[in-house]
Amino acid sequence: MPEPFVFKVNLGGMIDILANHLYSSPDVFIRELLQNGTDAISGRRLLDPTFNQGKITIRVTPGESITFTDNGTGLTEAEIHQFLAVIGQSSKRDLETGRILDDYIGRFGIGMLSCFMVTDEILLRTRSVKEPDKAYEFQGRPDGTYSITETDTADVPVGTRILIQTKAGAEQYFDEETVTRLVRYYGLPLPFPVMLESEDGTQSRINEMIPAGSNARDSVMALGREIFESDFLGYIPLESKSGLFSGVAYILPHAVSLHAKTHHRIYLKNMLLTEDGESILPKWSGFLRCFLNTQKLRPTASRENFYEDDLLAQARDELSACISEYLIGLSAKNPPLLEDIIRIHIMAIKSMASEDETFFRTFIPFIRFETNMGELTGKELLSRHDPISFTTDINQFHRTSALMLSQGQLLVNACYVYDASLLRMLQDYEPELIIYPLELVTFDEFLEEPGGDAQKEAAELLHIAEPLFRKFDCDAALKAFSPSQLPVFYMLDDNAQTLREIRHSQENSHELFSSMLNAFAEEIGPARAAFYLNWRNPLIKRLSRLRDAEKVRVCLEILYVQALLTGRFPMQGNEMSLLNDNLIQLIEWGTAE
């Protein structure tokens, strides 16, 4: 069997991968240094549970260098060789089992390499709590070479100090304001102080969230303004019952698109993981900005999102429940705030209500629907004892609203997103409520026969109307219906509607597509279209007494076009010209007299 070869790693190539493919920006070196220091402090706490003085200190020489110091566990010489010199070998692994302990953030053993994106040398001094009588200095270079020398323990406290000098093009990262901003961005929730040390040795804490003695609510709101640079209506405490996460969801004071890009601050073990909440937050949470920390979820290799697994699915479900329960509780605790949220974020509320039955039961009384009787809330719909019909076709809503209203029939415009599904859920919520689609309404029952005398009076009018409307592929008939202000009612079934749309498309298409549309039209079954003249309308009665057939024709054609326009039907070319031609004819008659 041939002797196996060992893979060799080109460190320069690895750095290129880090800079251009794995990490989104060179400034993640701050995150990686914070992460290593945090894990070192966690490691010391594991060795000594009484240790609670963890601290990271940062010193910046503007445009020149940055020094990161932690008082964590430190490294022995063997650990330096094993963990700093082997790519992919994480120092967070248990040396006996090889398992990465839950207390640690880092997992892949590549974080230190990120420093090479801004420096050409890493100088590290360390003293291990396991071997406090020895201290070491490590010098690493991007060509893959490194050196380790033993140094005087008097100069090295227990822990690790990392010094990096800027390389050309990276000077902007070596600035106190920039470092402070990045530390707060990446490590704001860290449970121990991260201190900025000035040249005179004085220190100030960078990662303080809520100052001691401050009003909790005001501080939380102030934190939201600082992080997201926005004011908010309020906030929702986020606390997992299983300990998966904790944090705050801020409620935006303005409407946002459900599909708009959102920005959050989502931390893993107190270190920023991502601003993208898509993997963990419910899809309807676009009206929120979340500041969230989780301890148990797994990161991807780049530490810029979560690994998809059962635990992430559980966290997602718990977050959804947490937000829903808070909003549900507002109906009793703070109704005005709830009404503001619903008014501003109605689309998100509808989305939640359509997916969650408990949420639906709480919010349906507040959700408003457009109807032919004005805007009505879910509570008002629930109080009705008569049937409720709905349509998802906005044109159909406008065509039939007046006729339905005259019969005392409630019609809901359900063409808005989620409205139809909410109405169906409303019937499940209240089984005695009768809700059905408009397609099941038989309009003939609203159209009464006007009687024999009326038929005789209108005989001449119908004699003109019947052949006239036959050329428009519809029947003409005399009926009596309300409202009396409506002179005509144009009705067609689905097949007739499809044929009308095909004819409209043919007039605006190429000859090739026109023939294809003809083929589609031939496949359509029997179609019914009807033009009803309302005997209760004064105009129709007056037309029936008019004995000038040409003037009757002109008026009927104008009424036909009016019915098409008010019903929002697609207009065909010859129909478009009818209104103009007939109005001109009326003007000519008027001026001639």
Side-chain angles (χ1 to χ4, degrees):
M1 184 174 180
E3 181 180 350
F5 293 98
V6 178
F7 282 105
K8 295 182 180 179
V9 176
N10 183 308
L11 195 55
M14 281 294 297
I15 294 169
D16 178 68
I17 290 172
L18 293 178
N20 297 310
H21 302 285
L22 186 60
Y23 293 129
S24 57
S25 168
D27 64 24
V28 296
F29 81 94
I30 295 286
R31 182 189 74 183
E32 298 299 334
L33 290 175
L34 275 176
Q35 177 180 301
N36 285 345
T38 299
D39 285 337
I41 292 170
S42 296
R44 185 165 181 178
R45 193 179 298 118
L46 284 174
L47 295 172
D48 178 8
T50 65
F51 176 72
N52 58 6
Q53 292 85 41
K55 184 172 77 169
I56 291 176
T57 304
I58 304 172
R59 184 162 186 168
V60 181
T61 301
E64 295 183 12
S65 66
I66 298 176
T67 304
F68 259 71
T69 304
D70 70 71
N71 60 351
T73 185
L75 294 168
T76 65
E77 183 178 8
E79 288 169 341
I80 293 173
H81 283 292
Q82 185 171 3
F83 299 130
L84 296 186
V86 180
I87 306 302
Q89 179 68 35
S90 176
S91 61
K92 286 76 178 178
R93 294 184 182 277
D94 183 282
L95 292 181
E96 294 182 3
T97 66
R99 183 177 65 87
I100 296 180
L101 302 176
D102 290 338
D103 301 72
Y104 295 118
I105 303 170
R107 303 176 65 87
F108 304 103
I110 55 178
M112 182 74 77
L113 293 182
S114 64
C115 291
F116 286 125
M117 293 190 287
V118 296
T119 188
D120 287 326
E121 182 180 71
I122 298 173
L123 180 64
L124 177 148
R125 288 188 171 189
T126 185
R127 181 179 169 194
S128 174
V129 71
K130 302 173 189 175
E131 297 180 357
D133 57 336
K134 291 184 179 181
Y136 299 93
E137 182 175 282
F138 165 92
Q139 286 182 289
R141 291 165 288 276
D143 61 3
T145 62
Y146 68 95
S147 61
I148 301 174
T149 57
E150 192 168 343
T151 188
D152 189 351
T153 57
D155 298 329
V156 184
V158 169
T160 301
R161 174 172 295 171
I162 298 174
L163 171 66
I164 55 175
Q165 306 276 351
T166 184
K167 70 177 181 181
E171 292 85 359
Q172 69 268 31
Y173 298 106
F174 291 71
D175 173 79
E176 280 193 357
E177 185 177 336
T178 300
V179 170
T180 298
R181 175 178 58 82
L182 291 175
V183 167
R184 286 187 65 78
Y185 177 68
Y186 286 118
L188 185 58
L190 287 171
F192 53 81
V194 179
M195 310 298 291
L196 184 67
E197 185 176 82
S198 62
E199 291 184 4
D200 62 6
T202 58
Q203 296 184 354
S204 57
R205 183 165 181 173
I206 300 175
N207 65 327
E208 188 173 51
M209 284 200 296
I210 299 179
S214 61
N215 178 282
R217 186 186 186 282
D218 290 347
S219 295
V220 172
M221 293 296 287
L223 180 65
R225 284 193 295 272
E226 177 196 341
I227 293 174
F228 299 110
E229 299 180 344
S230 172
D231 289 319
F232 296 97
L233 287 177
Y235 66 88
I236 301 172
L238 302 177
E239 199 66 46
S240 167
K241 294 176 182 177
S242 63
L244 276 176
F245 57 80
S246 63
V248 177
Y250 293 96
I251 305 167
L252 286 170
H254 53 80
V256 292
S257 167
L258 287 177
H259 307 292
K261 183 70 175 176
T262 58
H263 296 282
H264 306 275
R265 291 284 186 90
I266 300 176
Y267 294 78
L268 174 63
K269 295 183 175 69
N270 307 302
M271 289 292 298
L272 184 76
L273 186 80
T274 181
E275 289 187 332
D276 182 3
E278 186 174 348
S279 65
I280 189 170
L281 295 172
K283 63 182 181 181
W284 41 256
S285 62
F287 69 106
L288 302 173
R289 294 293 177 266
C290 295
F291 178 75
L292 187 70
N293 187 43
T294 175
Q295 298 292 330
K296 299 179 181 179
L297 300 182
R298 293 171 57 194
T300 56
S302 66
R303 280 193 47 78
E304 295 185 343
N305 219 318
F306 292 110
Y307 183 82
E308 187 69 44
D309 58 12
D310 291 342
L311 206 57
L312 179 60
Q314 180 185 339
R316 200 157 40 222
D317 290 343
E318 286 193 34
L319 269 168
S320 178
C322 196
I323 297 168
S324 297
E325 287 170 9
Y326 177 85
L327 293 175
I328 288 168
L330 284 181
S331 60
K333 297 176 183 176
N334 193 345
L337 176 57
L338 180 62
E339 290 177 5
D340 281 345
I341 294 171
I342 293 174
R343 175 177 52 81
I344 296 170
H345 301 294
I346 184 61
M347 292 306 294
I349 297 296
K350 284 182 178 181
S351 174
M352 283 187 276
S354 67
E355 294 182 2
D356 184 274
E357 183 179 351
T358 303
F359 198 89
F360 169 84
R361 290 176 178 272
T362 300
F363 279 89
I364 193 61
F366 303 97
I367 294 175
R368 296 181 176 274
F369 297 87
E370 181 184 342
T371 80
N372 62 340
M373 296 182 184
E375 197 173 57
L376 298 177
T377 64
K379 182 179 180 180
E380 290 170 316
L381 293 181
L382 285 166
S383 67
R384 298 186 68 89
H385 302 290
D386 54 330
I388 300 171
S389 57
F390 69 91
T391 177
T392 56
D393 184 335
I394 185 64
N395 293 326
Q396 192 176 45
F397 175 77
H398 288 288
R399 291 167 200 160
T400 56
S401 287
L403 186 63
M404 295 283 288
L405 182 61
S406 69
Q407 308 299 319
Q409 298 285 314
L410 179 64
L411 175 63
V412 179
N413 177 14
C415 69
Y416 300 106
V417 180
Y418 306 114
D419 279 15
S421 61
L422 290 174
L423 288 170
R424 295 186 183 98
M425 292 175 71
L426 196 65
Q427 187 162 27
D428 294 336
Y429 176 72
E430 182 52 68
E432 294 183 3
L433 204 61
I434 301 173
I435 302 178
Y436 52 86
L438 186 63
E439 288 76 13
L440 300 182
V441 174
T442 305
F443 285 100
D444 290 341
E445 65 188 44
F446 300 155
L447 309 173
E448 301 174 12
E449 294 296 335
D453 293 340
Q455 292 288 350
K456 290 178 183 178
E457 286 185 57
E460 185 63 28
L461 177 62
L462 289 172
H463 180 72
I464 298 171
E466 285 169 354
L468 175 66
F469 289 108
R470 201 170 295 128
K471 69 179 182 180
F472 298 125
D473 297 319
C474 71
D475 300 322
L478 186 70
K479 297 289 182 180
F481 52 87
S482 296
S484 60
Q485 296 86 355
L486 194 66
V488 296
F489 179 60
Y490 182 58
M491 185 177 74
L492 67 173
D493 62 16
D494 290 342
N495 286 346
Q497 171 74 17
T498 304
L499 278 173
R500 168 167 282 280
E501 291 171 353
I502 287 175
R503 298 306 179 210
H504 176 70
S505 299
Q506 282 181 309
E507 293 177 350
N508 300 282
S509 63
H510 187 271
E511 182 180 349
L512 172 63
F513 292 104
S514 180
S515 61
M516 292 174 60
L517 290 169
N518 265 333
F520 292 144
E522 291 172 2
E523 296 296 321
I524 296 173
R528 180 194 174 202
F531 189 76
Y532 296 112
L533 306 173
N534 187 5
W535 188 243
R536 292 178 184 166
N537 181 264
L539 174 60
I540 298 301
K541 286 187 176 181
R542 184 160 184 181
L543 278 178
S544 71
R545 295 191 292 269
L546 186 63
R547 292 297 172 248
D548 188 324
E550 182 63 13
K551 290 180 180 179
V552 170
R553 179 194 65 78
V554 167
C555 291
L556 287 175
E557 287 184 348
I558 289 174
L559 287 173
Y560 173 70
V561 176
Q562 180 190 20
L564 294 179
L565 291 172
T566 56
R568 302 188 180 188
F569 291 99
M571 300 284 287
Q572 298 174 22
N574 61 331
E575 295 168 342
M576 291 289 290
S577 62
L578 279 179
L579 185 62
N580 289 334
D581 293 345
N582 287 319
L583 286 174
I584 291 171
Q585 182 63 66
L586 287 177
I587 292 171
E588 289 179 351
W589 284 331
T591 55
E593 294 175 359

